[in-house]
Coordinates of all heavy atoms in Angstrom, one line a residue:
M122 N 23.3 -48.8 25.0 CA 24.3 -47.9 24.5 C 23.7 -46.5 24.2 O 24.3 -45.4 24.7 CB 24.9 -48.5 23.1 CG 26.2 -47.6 22.7 SD 27.4 -47.6 23.9 CE 28.5 -46.3 23.2
K123 N 22.6 -46.5 23.4 CA 21.9 -45.3 23.1 C 21.6 -44.4 24.5 O 21.7 -43.3 24.6 CB 20.6 -45.5 22.4 CG 20.9 -45.1 20.8 CD 19.7 -45.0 20.1 CE 19.9 -44.5 18.7 NZ 18.9 -45.3 17.8
K124 N 21.2 -45.3 25.5 CA 20.7 -44.7 26.7 C 21.9 -44.0 27.4 O 21.8 -42.8 27.9 CB 20.3 -45.9 27.6 CG 18.7 -45.6 28.0 CD 18.3 -46.5 29.0 CE 16.9 -46.3 29.3 NZ 16.2 -47.4 30.1
T125 N 23.1 -44.7 27.2 CA 24.3 -44.0 27.9 C 24.6 -42.7 27.2 O 24.9 -41.7 27.9 CB 25.4 -45.0 27.7 OG1 25.1 -46.2 27.9 CG2 26.5 -44.6 28.7
I126 N 24.5 -42.7 25.9 CA 24.7 -41.3 25.3 C 23.8 -40.4 25.7 O 24.1 -39.2 25.9 CB 24.7 -41.6 23.7 CG1 25.9 -42.5 23.3 CG2 24.8 -40.3 23.0 CD1 25.9 -43.0 22.0
L127 N 22.4 -40.6 25.8 CA 21.4 -39.8 26.1 C 21.7 -39.2 27.5 O 21.6 -38.1 27.9 CB 20.0 -40.4 26.1 CG 19.4 -40.3 24.6 CD1 18.1 -41.1 24.7 CD2 19.2 -39.1 24.1
T128 N 22.0 -40.2 28.5 CA 22.4 -39.8 29.8 C 23.5 -38.8 29.8 O 23.4 -37.7 30.5 CB 22.6 -41.0 30.8 OG1 21.6 -42.0 30.5 CG2 22.5 -40.6 32.2
A129 N 24.5 -39.1 29.1 CA 25.8 -38.2 29.0 C 25.3 -36.9 28.5 O 25.7 -35.8 29.0 CB 26.8 -38.9 28.2
A130 N 24.5 -36.8 27.5 CA 24.1 -35.6 27.0 C 23.4 -34.9 28.0 O 23.4 -33.6 28.1 CB 23.3 -35.9 25.7
A131 N 22.4 -35.5 28.6 CA 21.5 -34.8 29.7 C 22.4 -34.3 30.7 O 22.3 -33.1 31.3 CB 20.5 -35.8 30.2
V132 N 23.4 -35.0 31.3 CA 24.3 -34.6 32.3 C 25.1 -33.4 31.8 O 25.1 -32.4 32.5 CB 25.2 -35.7 32.7 CG1 26.4 -35.3 33.6 CG2 24.4 -36.8 33.5
S133 N 25.5 -33.4 30.6 CA 26.4 -32.3 30.2 C 25.5 -31.0 30.0 O 26.0 -29.9 30.3 CB 27.3 -32.6 29.0 OG 26.5 -33.1 28.0
L134 N 24.3 -31.2 29.5 CA 23.3 -30.1 29.4 C 23.1 -29.5 30.7 O 23.0 -28.2 31.0 CB 22.0 -30.5 28.9 CG 21.8 -30.3 27.5 CD1 20.4 -30.7 27.0 CD2 22.0 -28.9 27.1
F135 N 22.9 -30.4 31.8 CA 22.6 -29.9 33.1 C 23.8 -29.1 33.6 O 23.7 -28.1 34.3 CB 22.4 -31.2 34.1 CG 22.2 -30.9 35.5 CD1 21.1 -30.3 35.9 CD2 23.2 -31.2 36.4 CE1 20.9 -29.9 37.2 CE2 23.0 -30.9 37.7 CZ 21.9 -30.3 38.1
M136 N 25.1 -29.6 33.4 CA 26.3 -29.0 33.9 C 26.5 -27.6 33.2 O 26.7 -26.6 33.8 CB 27.5 -29.8 33.6 CG 27.7 -30.8 34.7 SD 28.8 -32.1 34.4 CE 29.9 -31.5 33.3
V137 N 26.0 -27.5 31.9 CA 26.1 -26.2 31.3 C 25.2 -25.1 31.8 O 25.5 -24.1 32.0 CB 25.8 -26.4 29.7 CG1 25.6 -25.1 29.0 CG2 27.0 -27.1 29.0
S138 N 23.9 -25.7 32.2 CA 22.9 -24.7 32.7 C 23.4 -24.3 34.1 O 23.2 -23.2 34.4 CB 21.5 -25.4 32.7 OG 21.6 -26.6 33.3
C139 N 24.1 -25.2 34.9 CA 24.6 -24.7 36.2 C 25.7 -23.7 36.1 O 25.7 -22.7 36.7 CB 25.1 -25.9 36.9 SG 24.0 -26.9 37.7
A140 N 26.5 -24.0 35.0 CA 27.6 -23.0 34.9 C 27.0 -21.6 34.4 O 27.5 -20.6 34.8 CB 28.5 -23.5 33.6
R141 N 26.0 -21.6 33.7 CA 25.4 -20.5 33.2 C 24.8 -19.7 34.4 O 24.9 -18.4 34.5 CB 24.1 -20.6 32.4 CG 24.5 -21.1 30.9 CD 24.1 -20.1 29.9 NE 24.6 -20.4 28.7 CZ 24.2 -21.2 27.8 NH1 23.1 -21.9 28.0 NH2 24.7 -21.4 26.6
S142 N 24.2 -20.4 35.5 CA 23.7 -19.8 36.6 C 24.7 -19.0 37.4 O 24.3 -18.2 38.2 CB 22.9 -20.6 37.4 OG 23.6 -21.6 38.0
N143 N 25.9 -19.5 37.2 CA 27.0 -18.9 37.9 C 27.6 -17.6 37.3 O 28.4 -16.8 37.8 CB 28.3 -19.8 37.8 CG 28.3 -20.6 39.2 OD1 27.7 -20.2 40.2 ND2 29.0 -21.7 39.0
A144 N 27.1 -17.3 35.9 CA 27.6 -16.2 35.3 C 27.3 -14.9 35.9 O 26.4 -14.8 36.5 CB 27.0 -16.3 33.7
V145 N 28.0 -14.0 35.6 CA 27.9 -12.6 35.9 C 26.6 -12.0 35.4 O 26.5 -12.0 34.3 CB 29.1 -11.8 35.7 CG1 28.8 -10.2 35.9 CG2 30.3 -12.1 36.5
T146 N 25.7 -11.6 36.2 CA 24.5 -11.0 35.7 C 24.3 -9.6 36.3 O 23.4 -8.9 35.8 CB 23.3 -11.9 36.2 OG1 23.4 -12.0 37.5 CG2 23.3 -13.1 35.6
G147 N 25.1 -9.1 37.1 CA 25.1 -7.7 37.6 C 26.3 -7.5 38.5 O 27.1 -8.4 38.9
P148 N 26.2 -6.3 39.1 CA 27.3 -6.0 40.1 C 27.2 -6.8 41.4 O 26.1 -7.3 41.7 CB 27.1 -4.5 40.5 CG 25.8 -4.0 39.8 CD 25.4 -5.2 38.9
K149 N 28.4 -7.1 42.0 CA 28.3 -7.8 43.2 C 29.3 -7.1 44.2 O 29.0 -6.9 45.3 CB 28.7 -9.2 43.0 CG 28.8 -10.2 44.2 CD 29.1 -11.5 43.7 CE 29.5 -12.4 45.0 NZ 29.9 -13.8 44.5
Y150 N 30.7 -7.0 43.9 CA 31.5 -6.3 44.8 C 31.7 -4.9 44.7 O 31.6 -4.3 43.6 CB 33.0 -7.1 44.4 CG 33.0 -8.5 44.7 CD1 33.4 -9.3 43.6 CD2 32.7 -9.1 45.8 CE1 33.6 -10.7 43.8 CE2 32.8 -10.3 46.1 CZ 33.2 -11.2 45.0 OH 33.3 -12.6 45.1
T151 N 31.9 -4.3 45.8 CA 32.0 -2.8 45.8 C 33.3 -2.5 46.6 O 33.7 -1.3 46.5 CB 30.8 -2.1 46.3 OG1 30.5 -2.7 47.5 CG2 29.7 -2.2 45.4
S152 N 33.7 -3.4 47.4 CA 34.9 -3.0 48.1 C 36.2 -2.6 47.4 O 36.4 -3.3 46.4 CB 35.3 -4.1 49.2 OG 35.9 -5.1 48.5
S153 N 36.9 -1.7 47.8 CA 38.2 -1.3 47.0 C 39.2 -2.4 46.9 O 39.9 -2.4 45.8 CB 38.8 0.0 47.6 OG 39.1 -0.3 49.1
E154 N 39.1 -3.3 47.8 CA 40.1 -4.4 47.7 C 39.7 -5.3 46.5 O 40.6 -5.7 45.8 CB 39.9 -5.2 49.1 CG 41.1 -6.2 49.3 CD 40.7 -7.4 50.2 OE1 39.8 -7.1 51.0 OE2 41.2 -8.5 50.0
K155 N 38.4 -5.7 46.4 CA 38.0 -6.5 45.3 C 38.1 -5.7 43.9 O 38.4 -6.4 42.9 CB 36.5 -6.9 45.4 CG 36.2 -7.9 46.5 CD 36.8 -9.2 46.2 CE 36.3 -10.4 47.2 NZ 36.9 -11.6 46.8
L156 N 37.8 -4.4 44.0 CA 38.0 -3.7 42.8 C 39.4 -3.6 42.3 O 39.7 -3.7 41.1 CB 37.3 -2.3 42.8 CG 35.8 -2.3 43.2 CD1 35.4 -0.8 43.2 CD2 35.1 -3.1 42.1
S157 N 40.3 -3.4 43.3 CA 41.7 -3.3 42.8 C 42.2 -4.8 42.3 O 43.1 -4.9 41.5 CB 42.5 -2.8 43.8 OG 42.9 -3.6 44.9
Q158 N 41.7 -5.8 43.0 CA 42.0 -7.2 42.3 C 41.5 -7.3 41.0 O 42.1 -8.0 40.1 CB 41.3 -8.2 43.2 CG 42.1 -8.6 44.6 CD 41.5 -9.9 45.2 OE1 41.2 -10.9 44.6 NE2 41.2 -9.7 46.5
G159 N 40.3 -6.8 40.8 CA 39.7 -6.9 39.4 C 40.5 -6.2 38.4 O 40.8 -6.6 37.4
K160 N 41.1 -5.0 38.8 CA 41.9 -4.1 38.0 C 43.2 -5.0 37.6 O 43.6 -5.1 36.5 CB 42.3 -3.0 38.7 CG 43.1 -2.0 37.9 CD 43.4 -0.7 38.7 CE 43.8 0.4 37.9 NZ 45.4 0.5 37.7
T161 N 43.8 -5.6 38.6 CA 45.0 -6.5 38.4 C 44.8 -7.6 37.4 O 45.4 -7.8 36.5 CB 45.5 -7.1 39.7 OG1 45.6 -6.0 40.6 CG2 46.8 -7.8 39.5
V162 N 43.6 -8.3 37.7 CA 43.3 -9.4 36.8 C 43.0 -8.9 35.3 O 43.6 -9.4 34.4 CB 41.9 -10.2 37.3 CG1 41.6 -11.3 36.2 CG2 42.2 -10.8 38.6
F163 N 42.3 -7.8 35.2 CA 42.1 -7.2 33.9 C 43.4 -6.8 33.2 O 43.5 -7.2 32.0 CB 41.1 -6.0 34.2 CG 40.8 -5.0 33.0 CD1 40.0 -5.5 31.9 CD2 41.4 -3.9 33.0 CE1 39.9 -4.7 30.8 CE2 41.1 -3.0 31.8 CZ 40.4 -3.6 30.7
E164 N 44.3 -6.1 33.9 CA 45.4 -5.7 33.3 C 46.4 -6.8 32.9 O 47.1 -6.7 32.0 CB 46.1 -4.7 34.2 CG 45.4 -3.3 34.3 CD 46.0 -2.4 35.3 OE1 46.8 -2.8 36.1 OE2 45.6 -1.2 35.2
N165 N 46.3 -7.9 33.7 CA 47.1 -9.0 33.4 C 46.6 -10.0 32.4 O 47.3 -10.8 31.7 CB 47.5 -9.8 34.6 CG 48.4 -9.0 35.6 OD1 49.1 -8.1 35.0 ND2 48.2 -9.3 36.8
S166 N 45.2 -10.0 32.2 CA 44.6 -11.0 31.5 C 44.0 -10.6 30.1 O 43.8 -11.5 29.2 CB 43.5 -11.8 32.2 OG 43.9 -12.1 33.5
C167 N 43.7 -9.4 30.0 CA 42.9 -8.9 29.0 C 43.7 -8.3 27.8 O 43.1 -7.7 26.9 CB 41.8 -7.9 29.5 SG 40.7 -8.8 30.6
N168 N 45.1 -8.2 28.0 CA 45.8 -7.8 26.9 C 46.7 -8.7 26.2 O 47.7 -8.5 25.6 CB 46.8 -6.6 27.4 CG 47.6 -7.0 28.5 OD1 47.7 -8.3 28.8 ND2 48.6 -6.3 29.1
K169 N 46.3 -10.0 26.3 CA 47.1 -11.1 25.8 C 46.8 -11.2 24.3 O 47.7 -11.4 23.4 CB 46.8 -12.4 26.4 CG 47.4 -12.4 27.7 CD 47.2 -13.8 28.4 CE 47.7 -13.9 29.8 NZ 47.0 -14.6 30.7
C170 N 45.6 -10.9 23.8 CA 45.1 -11.0 22.4 C 44.9 -9.6 21.8 O 45.0 -9.6 20.6 CB 43.8 -11.8 22.3 SG 44.0 -13.4 23.2
H171 N 44.7 -8.8 22.5 CA 44.4 -7.3 22.0 C 44.9 -6.4 23.0 O 45.1 -6.6 24.2 CB 43.0 -7.2 21.5 CG 42.0 -7.7 22.7 ND1 41.9 -7.1 23.8 CD2 41.1 -8.7 22.5 CE1 40.8 -7.7 24.5 NE2 40.5 -8.8 23.7
N172 N 44.9 -5.1 22.7 CA 45.2 -4.0 23.5 C 44.1 -4.1 24.7 O 43.0 -4.4 24.4 CB 45.4 -2.6 23.0 CG 46.6 -2.6 22.1 OD1 47.5 -3.3 22.2 ND2 46.4 -1.7 21.0
L173 N 44.5 -3.5 25.9 CA 43.5 -3.4 26.9 C 42.4 -2.6 26.5 O 42.8 -1.4 25.9 CB 44.1 -2.8 28.1 CG 44.7 -3.8 29.2 CD1 44.9 -3.0 30.3 CD2 43.7 -4.8 29.6
P174 N 41.1 -3.1 26.6 CA 40.0 -2.1 26.0 C 39.7 -1.0 27.1 O 40.1 -1.2 28.4 CB 38.8 -3.1 26.0 CG 39.1 -4.2 26.8 CD 40.7 -4.3 26.9
E175 N 39.2 0.1 26.7 CA 38.8 1.1 27.8 C 37.5 0.7 28.5 O 36.6 0.1 27.9 CB 38.5 2.4 27.0 CG 39.7 3.3 26.5 CD 40.6 3.8 27.6 OE1 40.0 4.1 28.6 OE2 41.8 3.7 27.3
P176 N 37.6 0.8 29.8 CA 36.4 0.5 30.5 C 35.1 1.2 30.0 O 34.1 0.6 30.1 CB 36.6 0.8 32.0 CG 38.1 0.7 32.0 CD 38.7 1.2 30.7
T177 N 35.3 2.4 29.6 CA 34.3 3.2 29.1 C 33.8 2.8 27.6 O 32.8 3.3 27.1 CB 34.7 4.8 29.0 OG1 35.8 4.8 28.3 CG2 34.9 5.3 30.4
K178 N 34.4 1.8 27.1 CA 34.0 1.4 25.8 C 32.5 0.8 25.7 O 31.9 1.0 24.7 CB 35.0 0.2 25.4 CG 34.6 -0.2 23.9 CD 35.9 -1.2 23.5 CE 35.7 -1.3 21.9 NZ 35.0 -2.4 21.5
H179 N 32.2 0.2 26.8 CA 30.8 -0.4 26.9 C 29.9 0.1 28.1 O 30.6 0.5 29.1 CB 30.9 -1.9 27.0 CG 31.4 -2.5 25.7 ND1 30.7 -2.4 24.5 CD2 32.5 -3.2 25.4 CE1 31.3 -3.1 23.4 NE2 32.4 -3.5 24.1
T180 N 28.8 0.1 28.0 CA 27.9 0.3 29.2 C 27.9 -0.8 30.1 O 28.4 -1.9 29.7 CB 26.4 0.5 28.8 OG1 25.9 -0.7 28.2 CG2 26.2 1.6 27.6
D181 N 27.4 -0.7 31.3 CA 27.4 -1.8 32.3 C 26.6 -3.0 31.6 O 27.1 -4.2 31.8 CB 26.6 -1.3 33.4 CG 27.3 -0.2 34.3 OD1 28.3 0.3 33.7 OD2 26.7 0.1 35.3
A182 N 25.5 -2.8 31.0 CA 24.8 -3.9 30.4 C 25.7 -4.6 29.3 O 25.7 -5.9 29.2 CB 23.5 -3.5 29.9
E183 N 26.3 -3.8 28.4 CA 27.1 -4.4 27.4 C 28.2 -5.2 27.9 O 28.7 -6.2 27.3 CB 27.6 -3.3 26.4 CG 26.6 -2.7 25.5 CD 27.0 -1.3 24.9 OE1 28.0 -0.9 25.1 OE2 26.0 -0.8 24.1
W184 N 28.9 -4.7 29.0 CA 30.0 -5.4 29.5 C 29.6 -6.8 30.0 O 30.5 -7.8 29.9 CB 30.6 -4.6 30.7 CG 31.7 -3.7 30.2 CD1 31.7 -2.4 30.5 CD2 32.9 -4.0 29.4 NE1 32.9 -1.8 29.8 CE2 33.6 -2.8 29.3 CE3 33.4 -5.2 28.9 CZ2 34.8 -2.7 28.6 CZ3 34.7 -5.2 28.2 CH2 35.2 -4.0 28.0
I185 N 28.3 -7.0 30.4 CA 28.0 -8.4 30.8 C 28.2 -9.2 29.7 O 28.7 -10.4 29.8 CB 26.4 -8.3 31.4 CG1 26.3 -7.6 32.7 CG2 25.9 -9.8 31.5 CD1 24.9 -7.6 33.3
E186 N 27.7 -8.9 28.5 CA 27.7 -9.7 27.3 C 29.1 -9.9 26.9 O 29.5 -11.0 26.6 CB 26.8 -9.1 26.2 CG 26.4 -10.0 25.2 CD 27.5 -9.8 24.0 OE1 27.9 -8.7 23.7 OE2 27.6 -10.8 23.3
T187 N 29.8 -8.8 26.7 CA 31.2 -8.8 26.2 C 32.1 -9.7 27.2 O 32.9 -10.6 26.6 CB 31.8 -7.5 26.0 OG1 31.0 -6.7 25.1 CG2 33.2 -7.6 25.4
L188 N 32.0 -9.5 28.3 CA 32.9 -10.1 29.3 C 32.5 -11.6 29.4 O 33.3 -12.5 29.5 CB 32.6 -9.5 30.7 CG 34.0 -9.5 31.6 CD1 35.2 -9.0 30.8 CD2 33.7 -8.8 32.9
S189 N 31.2 -12.0 29.2 CA 31.0 -13.4 29.2 C 31.6 -14.1 28.0 O 31.8 -15.3 28.0 CB 29.5 -13.8 29.4 OG 28.7 -12.8 29.0
R190 N 31.8 -13.5 26.8 CA 32.6 -13.9 25.8 C 34.1 -14.0 26.1 O 34.8 -14.9 25.6 CB 32.3 -13.2 24.5 CG 31.0 -13.5 23.9 CD 30.9 -12.9 22.4 NE 30.9 -11.4 22.6 CZ 31.8 -10.6 21.8 NH1 32.7 -11.2 21.0 NH2 31.7 -9.4 21.8
M191 N 34.7 -12.9 26.7 CA 36.0 -12.8 26.9 C 36.6 -13.5 28.1 O 37.7 -14.1 28.1 CB 36.4 -11.4 27.0 CG 36.1 -10.6 25.9 SD 37.1 -11.2 24.5 CE 36.0 -10.8 23.2
A192 N 35.8 -13.7 29.2 CA 36.2 -14.4 30.4 C 36.7 -15.8 30.2 O 37.8 -16.2 30.6 CB 35.3 -14.3 31.5
P193 N 36.0 -16.5 29.4 CA 36.4 -17.9 29.1 C 37.8 -17.9 28.3 O 38.7 -18.7 28.4 CB 35.4 -18.7 28.3 CG 34.2 -17.9 28.6 CD 34.7 -16.5 28.8
R194 N 37.9 -17.0 27.3 CA 39.1 -16.8 26.5 C 40.3 -16.5 27.5 O 41.3 -17.0 27.2 CB 38.9 -15.6 25.5 CG 38.1 -16.0 24.3 CD 37.9 -15.0 23.4 NE 37.3 -15.3 22.1 CZ 36.6 -14.6 21.3 NH1 36.8 -13.3 21.3 NH2 36.1 -15.0 20.4
A195 N 40.1 -15.6 28.5 CA 41.2 -15.2 29.3 C 41.3 -16.3 30.5 O 42.1 -16.2 31.5 CB 40.9 -13.8 30.0
K196 N 40.6 -17.3 30.3 CA 40.5 -18.4 31.4 C 40.4 -18.0 32.8 O 40.9 -18.4 33.8 CB 41.7 -19.3 31.3 CG 41.9 -19.9 30.0 CD 43.0 -21.0 30.0 CE 43.0 -21.8 28.8 NZ 43.2 -21.1 27.5
L197 N 39.4 -16.9 33.0 CA 39.1 -16.5 34.2 C 38.2 -17.5 35.1 O 37.5 -18.1 34.5 CB 38.4 -15.1 34.2 CG 39.1 -13.9 33.4 CD1 38.3 -12.6 33.6 CD2 40.6 -13.8 33.9
T198 N 38.4 -17.5 36.5 CA 37.5 -18.2 37.3 C 36.2 -17.3 37.4 O 36.3 -16.2 37.2 CB 38.1 -18.4 38.7 OG1 38.1 -17.1 39.3 CG2 39.4 -19.1 38.7
P199 N 35.1 -17.9 37.8 CA 33.8 -17.1 37.9 C 34.2 -16.0 38.9 O 33.6 -14.9 38.7 CB 32.9 -18.0 38.5 CG 33.2 -19.4 38.1 CD 34.7 -19.3 38.0
D200 N 34.8 -16.1 39.9 CA 35.1 -15.0 40.8 C 36.0 -13.8 40.2 O 35.7 -12.7 40.4 CB 35.7 -15.5 42.1 CG 35.6 -14.5 43.2 OD1 34.4 -14.2 43.3 OD2 36.5 -14.2 44.1
Q201 N 37.0 -14.3 39.4 CA 37.8 -13.2 38.8 C 36.9 -12.6 37.7 O 37.0 -11.2 37.5 CB 39.0 -14.0 38.0 CG 40.0 -14.5 38.9 CD 41.0 -15.2 38.2 OE1 40.8 -16.0 37.3 NE2 42.3 -15.1 38.6
H202 N 36.0 -13.3 37.1 CA 35.1 -12.7 36.0 C 34.3 -11.6 36.7 O 34.2 -10.5 36.2 CB 34.2 -13.9 35.6 CG 33.2 -13.4 34.4 ND1 32.4 -14.3 33.8 CD2 32.8 -12.3 34.1 CE1 31.6 -13.8 32.9 NE2 31.7 -12.4 33.2
Q203 N 33.8 -12.0 37.9 CA 33.0 -11.0 38.7 C 33.8 -9.8 39.0 O 33.4 -8.6 39.0 CB 32.4 -11.7 39.9 CG 31.6 -10.9 40.7 CD 30.0 -10.6 40.0 OE1 29.4 -11.4 39.7 NE2 29.8 -9.2 39.8
M204 N 35.0 -10.0 39.7 CA 35.8 -8.9 40.0 C 36.1 -7.9 38.8 O 36.1 -6.7 39.0 CB 37.1 -9.4 40.6 CG 36.8 -10.0 42.0 SD 38.2 -10.5 42.9 CE 39.2 -11.6 41.8
V205 N 36.5 -8.5 37.6 CA 36.8 -7.7 36.5 C 35.6 -6.9 36.1 O 35.7 -5.7 35.7 CB 37.2 -8.6 35.4 CG1 37.4 -7.7 34.1 CG2 38.7 -9.1 35.7
Y206 N 34.3 -7.6 36.1 CA 33.2 -6.8 35.8 C 32.9 -5.7 36.7 O 32.7 -4.6 36.3 CB 31.9 -7.8 35.8 CG 30.7 -7.0 35.5 CD1 30.4 -6.7 34.3 CD2 29.8 -6.7 36.5 CE1 29.3 -5.9 34.0 CE2 28.6 -5.9 36.3 CZ 28.4 -5.6 35.0 OH 27.2 -4.9 34.6
D207 N 33.1 -5.9 38.0 CA 32.8 -4.8 39.0 C 33.9 -3.9 38.8 O 33.4 -2.5 39.0 CB 32.7 -5.3 40.4 CG 31.6 -6.2 40.6 OD1 30.5 -5.9 40.0 OD2 31.6 -7.2 41.3
Y208 N 35.1 -4.1 38.5 CA 36.1 -3.0 38.2 C 35.8 -2.2 36.9 O 35.8 -1.0 37.1 CB 37.5 -3.7 38.1 CG 38.5 -2.6 37.5 CD1 38.9 -1.5 38.2 CD2 38.9 -2.9 36.1 CE1 39.7 -0.6 37.6 CE2 39.7 -1.9 35.5 CZ 40.1 -0.8 36.2 OH 40.9 0.0 35.6
L209 N 35.3 -2.9 36.0 CA 35.1 -2.2 34.7 C 33.9 -1.2 34.9 O 33.9 -0.1 34.5 CB 34.6 -3.1 33.7 CG 35.9 -4.0 33.1 CD1 35.4 -4.9 32.0 CD2 36.9 -3.0 32.3
I210 N 32.8 -1.6 35.6 CA 31.7 -0.8 35.7 C 32.0 0.4 36.7 O 31.3 1.4 36.6 CB 30.4 -1.4 35.9 CG1 30.4 -2.2 37.3 CG2 30.0 -2.5 34.9 CD1 29.0 -2.7 37.7
S211 N 32.9 0.2 37.7 CA 33.2 1.2 38.6 C 34.1 2.4 37.9 O 34.0 3.5 38.4 CB 34.1 0.6 39.7 OG 35.5 0.5 39.3
Q212 N 34.7 2.1 36.7 CA 35.4 3.0 36.0 C 34.5 3.7 34.8 O 35.0 4.6 34.1 CB 36.5 2.4 35.1 CG 37.4 1.7 36.0 CD 38.2 2.7 37.0 OE1 38.7 3.6 36.5 NE2 38.1 2.5 38.3
N213 N 33.1 3.2 34.9 CA 32.4 3.5 33.7 C 31.5 4.9 34.0 O 30.9 5.0 35.0 CB 31.4 2.4 33.5 CG 31.2 2.3 31.9 OD1 31.5 3.1 31.3 ND2 30.8 1.1 31.7
Ligands
HEC121 C1 42.5 -15.6 24.0 C2 42.4 -14.3 23.4 C3 41.6 -13.2 24.2 C4 41.7 -12.8 25.4 C5 42.5 -13.5 26.6 C6 40.7 -11.7 25.7 N1 40.2 -11.4 24.5 FE1 38.9 -9.8 24.0 N2 38.9 -10.3 22.2 C7 39.4 -11.5 21.5 C8 39.1 -11.6 20.1 C9 39.6 -12.5 19.0 C10 38.2 -10.4 19.9 C11 37.5 -10.1 18.6 C12 36.4 -11.0 18.2 C13 35.3 -10.8 19.2 O1 34.8 -9.6 19.4 O2 34.8 -11.8 19.7 C14 38.1 -9.6 21.1 C15 37.3 -8.6 21.3 C16 37.2 -7.8 22.4 C17 36.5 -6.6 22.6 C18 35.8 -5.9 21.4 C19 34.5 -6.5 21.1 C20 33.4 -5.8 21.9 O3 32.3 -6.5 22.0 O4 33.6 -4.7 22.3 C21 36.6 -6.4 23.9 C22 35.8 -5.1 24.7 C23 37.4 -7.3 24.7 N3 37.8 -8.3 23.7 C24 37.5 -7.3 25.9 C25 38.3 -8.3 26.6 C26 38.5 -8.3 28.1 C27 37.8 -7.4 29.1 C28 39.2 -9.5 28.2 C29 39.7 -10.0 29.7 C30 38.6 -10.6 30.5 C31 39.7 -10.1 27.0 N4 39.0 -9.4 26.0 C32 40.5 -11.1 26.9 C33 40.3 -12.3 22.2 C34 40.7 -12.2 23.5

């Protein structure tokens, strides 16, 4: 029984570390198509709990940290998270 719990804990730790490696760590998209998709996701998802923040509110590096807290709240997919990040820093 203990072994099962330990295995489950190990598996979920493993999954968490995989999810982390998917996280946004820097710019990726530059095409205007991806950036405008990022803008749409941002405008539709980031004003549910508060007013839309100004993209200039944070530096590129700070947006990595803030957006990794907000993307799960807005239930963004990793790709949407990336597009929103690239949109924000393109406005910065
Ligand atoms: C489910 C609700 C919710 C959604 C959706 C949400 N936020 Fe937030 N946001 C919060 C709360 C609560 C705070 C204040 C507490 C905190 O800072 O964690 C906050 C604070 C902020 C702040 C100010 C704090 C800081 O570090 O500057 C920014 C900027 C921000 N959110 C950006 C965003 C962006 C961008 C999105 C879209 C990806 C988003 N939020 C979506 C709940 C949400």
Side-chain angles (χ1 to χ4, degrees):
M122 188 57 195
K123 260 198 176 139
K124 244 190 178 161
T125 319
I126 295 172
L127 276 179
T128 311
V132 168
S133 49
L134 263 181
F135 177 70
M136 281 168 20
V137 167
S138 52
C139 279
R141 285 239 174 89
S142 69
N143 265 338
V145 170
T146 52
K149 180 174 171 189
Y150 297 126
T151 49
S152 73
S153 53
E154 193 202 335
K155 288 288 189 185
L156 297 182
S157 76
Q158 276 187 54
K160 181 175 197 276
T161 307
V162 174
F163 173 68
E164 288 172 351
N165 291 334
S166 316
C167 302
N168 59 359
K169 290 186 181 142
C170 309
H171 45 65
N172 292 333
L173 268 190
E175 284 296 323
T177 50
K178 183 169 197 274
H179 288 297
T180 64
D181 296 4
E183 287 164 356
W184 272 123
I185 292 183
E186 193 269 327
T187 301
L188 210 54
S189 18
R190 281 191 294 125
M191 294 301 148
R194 286 182 174 161
K196 301 195 168 54
L197 302 188
T198 67
D200 203 44
Q201 290 173 325
H202 180 172
Q203 181 71 55
M204 292 187 300
V205 170
Y206 178 74
D207 290 326
Y208 164 69
L209 287 172
I210 64 168
S211 78
Q212 299 298 303
N213 217 339

